[in-house]
């Protein structure tokens, strides 16, 4: 008697649960499906009244037009180059600095560490204009240098903090045998610390990749020639148009976000693991 | 030992260099620029605090400040509540839950200019998805981005849509709550809502607090989608968009830098306020352990 009542209660709860899950998921997916649907519609039916949810067959012409009109391959290459350097410098330099903070005792270590944490609070908006002026004086605007070079100086404080936490949890015994074998500290870093922290590095890598791939402010300030544009900048040029051609624009938008989506799904397993391990939960 | 000391500095040197080149020096420079009138082509003119006094007489500035603070104050709690609800839903062990987790997390993956453009299209008055759905219920098309009263609701709608992307930290927090706490509550006859109020919320309060602080900072610094989507006249012009316009459209570097400093102070004050009141509701289980140990 009692058991079946409990079971009934659980079934009722699960029905509610599925109802909400389906409702929320549909709300999330619907706009994205609408995006795909728009990108496949032929020009005339996008503005048809009343509008249709589904495309009239498969129309690839929006994609070919998007590729031509925003000069997709050039912009894709530009974005990829910037993202590559950004990712590399962010992950590698953050790891090196984090290693220094995690494994060495040096004078004023706590002072530097707290100072580094406090820089998280300084908004880039204050330093943005002076840095812009300085780069312009150097003649570096309209090149990728201002977007790429700062990354090699210090990585990102949040990443350093997370990696330091991660490195602290690596048992010291692992290093000791390497020290006995005569390995220097840099060898220990790349032979022991790097392989052991792959999940954390991947997590940081994804964040860094996303941040750089989606960055708008940086390219907007520094890049002037259309053949140096990134994808975000190329797409943002459509914002002011009076009569927007939504088909090609949605096709271009999908092409621009596809790499992020692919990277996420490839690294998903590591990513979820890394979020848990690095203790982003605070 | 001596060697080790020096080696530590070698490893953190990239950060120390970056700190002086890209933080200390620009901050000093920014302090000066904020006191000048400067279009970058001619040399700067020192004007003292004029930029700051002019800002507080600038209606566009005050409007942008109001739009941004109002958005932050409403959207952050709204986003946290929705993320938390979603995290609780996907935390249950039912069949197919990993599919829902991925689907609901997608907004965090696909963010950026593409999604801002998508929303601009969805909110389109004549052919957008929302008005299309509303028309099925016989509702006249609404000017989501052209009617000043609907701009804020439009932005809030985007926040709620993206809330699944913020669920990961809550999910990790939920999975850390020891099950004996729920069992104890059940023995005391607590129902689902009581369990949520007396166990889940206090145990998650540090995570909520962290997200509250980061959320406020993020909302105040909102730029990318506000720049793309905009909104009726002043209603969709957020603080950073106005700062960007002043610096790079009108080349008023001093004025824009002064705006940057004011934003810095506002973020600092908001964060301090949140910290000040946090002790009233944020619960750290490690502190309880400390207290009980002391008691013994």
């Amino acid at each position: 008697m009692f058991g079946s009542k409990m079971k009934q209660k659980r079934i009722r709860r699960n029905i509610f649960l599925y109802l909400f899950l389906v409702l929320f998921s549909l709300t999330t997916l619907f706009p994205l499906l609408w995006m795909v649907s728009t990108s496949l519609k032929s020009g005339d039916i996008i503005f048809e009244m009343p509008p249709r949810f589904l495309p009239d067959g498969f129309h690839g012409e929006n994609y070919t037009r998007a590729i031509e009109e925003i000069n997709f391959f050039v912009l894709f290459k530009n974005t990829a180059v910037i993202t590559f350097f950004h990712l590399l410098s962010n992950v590698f330099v953050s790891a090196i600095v984090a290693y220094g903070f995690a494994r060495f005792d040096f004078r004023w270590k706590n002072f530097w560490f707290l100072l580094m944490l406090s820089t998280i609070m300084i908004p880039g908006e204050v330093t943005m204009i002076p840095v812009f002026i300085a780069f312009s004086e150097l003649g570096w605007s309209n090149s990728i240098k201002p977007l790429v070079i700062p990354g090699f100086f210090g990585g990102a404080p949040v990443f350093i903090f997370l990696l330091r936490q991660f490195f602290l949890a690596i048992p010291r015994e692992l290093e000791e045998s390497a020290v006995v074998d005569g390995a220097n500290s840099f060898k220990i870093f790349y032979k022991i610390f790097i392989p052991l922290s792959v999940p954390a590095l991947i997590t940081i890598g994804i964040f860094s990749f996303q941040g750089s791939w989606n960055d708008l402010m940086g390219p907007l300030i520094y890049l002037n020639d259309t053949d140096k544009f990134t994808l975000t900048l190329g797409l943002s040029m459509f914002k002011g148009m009076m009569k927007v051609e939504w088909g090609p624009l949605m096709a271009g938008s999908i092409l621009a976000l596809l790499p992020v989506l692919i990277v996420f799904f490839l690294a998903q397993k590591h990513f979820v693991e890394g979020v848990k391990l690095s203790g982003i939960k605070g | 030992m001596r060697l080790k000391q020096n080696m530590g500095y070698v490893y953190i040197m990239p950060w120390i260099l970056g700190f002086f080149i890209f933080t200390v020096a620009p901050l000093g420079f920014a302090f000066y620029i904020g006191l000048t009138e400067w279009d970058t082509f001619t040399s700067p003119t020192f004007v003292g605090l004029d930029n700051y006094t002019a800002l507080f007489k600038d209606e566009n500035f005050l409007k942008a400040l109001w739009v941004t603070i109002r958005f932050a104050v409403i959207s952050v709690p709204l986003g946290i509540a929705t993320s938390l609800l979603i995290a609780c839903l996907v935390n249950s062990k039912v069949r197919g839950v990993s599919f829902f987790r991925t689907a609901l997390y997608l907004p965090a993956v696909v963010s950026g200019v593409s999604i801002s453009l998508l929303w601009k299209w969805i909110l389109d008055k004549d052919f957008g998805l929302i008005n299309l759905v509303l028309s099925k219920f016989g509702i006249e098309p609404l000017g989501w981005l052209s009617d000043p009263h609907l701009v804020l609701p439009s932005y809030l709608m985007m926040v709620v849509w993206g809330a699944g992307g913020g669920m990961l930290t809550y999910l990790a927090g939920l999975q850390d709550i020891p099950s004996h706490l729920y069992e104890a509550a059940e023995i005391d006859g607590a129902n689902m809502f009581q369990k949520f109020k007396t166990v889940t919320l206090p145990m998650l309060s540090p995570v909520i607090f962290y997200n509250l602080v980061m959320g406020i900072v993020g909302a105040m610094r909102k730029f990318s989608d506000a720049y793309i989507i905009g909104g009726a006249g002043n209603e969709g012009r957020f603080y950073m968009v106005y700062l960007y316009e002043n610096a790079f459209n009108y080349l008023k570097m001093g004025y824009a830098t002064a705006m940057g400093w004011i934003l810095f102070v506002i973020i600092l004050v908001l964060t301090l306020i949140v910290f000040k009141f946090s002790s009233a509701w944020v619960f750290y289980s490690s502190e309880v352990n400390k207290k009980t140990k002391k008691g013994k």
Side-chain angles (χ1 to χ4, degrees):
Chain A
M1 264 305 268
F2 188 66
S4 73
K5 223 179 188 176
M6 284 284 280
K7 203 175 171 188
Q8 250 184 5
K9 208 177 145 189
R10 212 182 63 208
I11 289 173
R12 214 182 319 146
R13 210 192 59 194
N14 278 356
I15 290 175
F16 259 108
L17 196 68
Y18 275 117
L19 208 69
F20 273 108
L21 281 174
V22 169
L23 188 77
F24 275 50
S25 304
L26 278 183
T27 323
T28 309
L29 293 178
F30 203 43
L32 298 173
L33 295 175
W34 175 247
M35 187 182 201
V36 177
S37 158
T38 305
S39 78
L40 294 173
K41 281 178 184 171
S42 62
D44 344 314
I45 79 149
I46 288 175
F47 296 114
E48 195 182 67
M49 273 313 219
R52 294 189 223 175
F53 286 104
L54 288 172
D56 49 337
F58 185 90
H59 287 269
E61 68 252 27
N62 286 329
Y63 285 86
T64 46
R65 275 193 57 198
I67 286 171
E68 280 163 23
E69 274 169 36
I70 65 167
N71 202 1
F72 181 79
F73 291 109
V74 173
L75 267 52
F76 184 91
K77 193 204 80 200
N78 296 340
T79 316
V81 169
I82 293 173
T83 303
F84 172 77
F85 283 114
H86 188 83
L87 179 77
L88 188 82
S89 60
N90 243 334
V91 173
F92 188 66
V93 178
S94 298
I96 282 190
V97 176
Y99 179 61
F101 277 124
R103 271 305 191 260
F104 296 91
D105 293 310
F106 48 88
R107 204 179 293 176
W108 295 353
K109 181 166 106 167
N110 287 336
F111 165 77
W112 288 117
F113 188 66
L114 286 175
L115 197 63
M116 190 207 70
L117 285 185
S118 67
T119 58
I120 296 177
M121 285 304 296
I122 298 173
E125 289 71 38
V126 180
T127 52
M128 179 175 84
I129 291 169
V131 171
F132 169 79
I133 292 172
F135 278 136
S136 309
E137 289 296 312
L138 284 173
W140 282 6
S141 38
N142 204 17
S143 81
I144 67 165
K145 284 182 214 159
L147 301 171
V148 162
I149 288 173
F152 287 94
F153 291 92
V158 185
F159 294 164
I160 297 173
F161 177 73
L162 292 177
L163 282 174
R164 175 186 164 271
Q165 299 293 94
F166 197 84
F167 289 162
L168 284 175
I170 293 177
R172 286 211 180 238
E173 291 81 54
L174 287 174
E175 301 161 57
E176 277 161 13
S177 59
V179 173
V180 172
D181 291 345
N184 64 27
S185 61
F186 189 71
K187 199 165 183 188
I188 293 174
F189 170 67
Y190 78 81
K191 286 269 184 189
I192 297 178
F193 279 75
I194 293 288
L196 280 176
S197 23
V198 168
L201 294 173
I202 289 183
T203 310
I204 285 168
I206 295 182
F207 280 133
S208 171
F209 174 80
Q210 263 188 325
S212 180
W213 193 270
N214 289 334
D215 182 28
L216 177 63
M217 185 67 108
L220 192 60
I221 295 178
Y222 288 110
L223 305 175
N224 306 326
D225 294 346
T226 44
D227 60 341
K228 288 181 179 158
F229 276 13
T230 59
L231 283 171
T232 51
L233 192 52
L235 286 172
S236 77
M237 291 296 132
F238 290 90
K239 84 181 183 88
M241 283 189 180
M242 287 311 277
K243 194 172 180 307
V244 184
E245 292 203 62
W246 290 106
L249 190 54
M250 285 298 109
S253 298
I254 289 174
L255 292 175
L257 61 77
L258 222 46
V260 187
L261 207 60
I262 292 170
V263 167
F264 175 76
F265 279 108
L266 287 180
Q268 193 185 16
K269 210 189 98 222
H270 295 283
F271 176 70
V272 174
E273 218 175 302
V275 169
K276 276 185 204 156
L277 288 170
S278 50
I280 291 179
K281 56 186 186 283
Chain B
M1 200 57 216
R2 175 97 183 255
L3 185 82
K4 264 210 139 180
Q5 224 184 51
N6 296 338
M7 277 315 281
Y9 271 106
V10 171
Y11 285 103
I12 69 165
M13 196 42 80
W15 175 76
I16 293 182
L17 283 178
F19 175 67
F20 283 104
I21 300 172
F22 292 109
T23 305
V24 176
L27 280 181
F29 194 14
F31 181 74
Y32 170 70
I33 299 174
L35 302 173
T36 65
E37 209 168 86
W38 197 10
D39 62 4
T40 70
F41 295 115
T42 54
S43 32
T45 328
F46 188 82
V47 293
L49 291 174
D50 282 6
N51 285 328
Y52 295 89
T53 48
L55 272 172
F56 284 98
K57 286 180 203 138
D58 177 352
E59 266 175 40
N60 288 327
F61 168 77
L62 294 173
K63 180 72 187 179
L65 183 62
W66 165 241
V67 164
T68 312
I69 291 186
R70 186 182 57 178
F71 171 76
V73 167
I74 302 173
S75 76
V76 175
L78 183 71
I80 288 178
T82 320
S83 297
L84 189 55
L85 175 64
I86 292 174
C88 288
L89 289 175
V90 300
N91 188 38
S92 41
K93 292 175 190 70
V94 291
R95 203 169 296 166
V97 79
S98 59
F99 165 78
F100 292 112
R101 270 185 207 175
T102 311
L104 288 163
Y105 186 69
L106 270 183
V109 181
V110 298
S111 56
V113 172
S114 298
I115 295 303
S116 304
L117 288 168
L118 169 63
W119 274 103
K120 214 175 150 107
W121 168 221
I122 287 175
L123 295 166
D124 187 86
K125 189 178 179 189
D126 300 319
F127 304 98
L129 178 64
I130 292 180
N131 281 344
L132 163 61
V133 172
L134 289 181
S135 71
K136 302 277 173 202
F137 296 97
I139 298 170
E140 290 287 301
L142 296 165
W144 290 100
L145 294 172
S146 50
D147 180 346
H149 299 290
L150 291 177
V151 174
L152 178 65
S154 298
Y155 276 90
L156 294 178
M157 201 148 57
M158 294 180 233
V159 169
V160 171
W161 179 78
M167 75 178 165
L168 270 192
T169 50
Y170 298 109
L171 195 57
L174 283 172
Q175 287 171 349
D176 280 353
I177 300 177
S179 58
H180 68 81
L181 292 179
Y182 287 111
E183 284 153 20
E186 261 166 49
I187 290 169
D188 290 344
N191 63 28
M192 216 168 74
F193 294 103
Q194 284 165 329
K195 275 193 279 184
F196 180 78
K197 210 183 119 197
T198 56
V199 179
T200 312
L201 268 188
M203 290 303 285
L204 281 185
S205 55
V207 186
I208 296 175
F209 174 68
Y210 172 81
N211 282 317
L212 187 64
V213 174
M214 297 317 265
I216 289 173
V217 175
M220 291 302 301
R221 298 174 64 181
K222 187 181 192 61
F223 175 72
S224 189
D225 47 347
Y227 174 76
I228 300 284
I229 297 167
N234 276 336
E235 286 295 325
R237 192 198 274 141
F238 282 71
Y239 195 99
M240 276 310 295
V241 176
Y242 191 53
L243 190 155
Y244 169 84
E245 287 177 356
N246 273 305
F248 300 102
N249 293 353
Y250 314 135
L251 293 175
K252 288 156 82 174
M253 293 299 171
Y255 203 62
T257 305
M259 276 189 77
W261 281 112
I262 293 172
L263 182 65
F264 177 47
V265 172
I266 292 169
I267 290 177
L268 204 65
V269 169
L270 284 177
T271 315
L272 287 178
I273 292 173
V274 174
F275 265 94
K276 177 114 179 110
F277 290 101
S278 71
S279 56
W281 60 272
V282 178
F283 169 82
Y284 290 102
S285 52
S286 55
E287 266 174 27
V288 175
N289 292 342
K290 258 185 235 159
K291 273 179 198 157
T292 48
K293 264 180 204 160
K294 266 185 199 161
K296 274 173 192 171

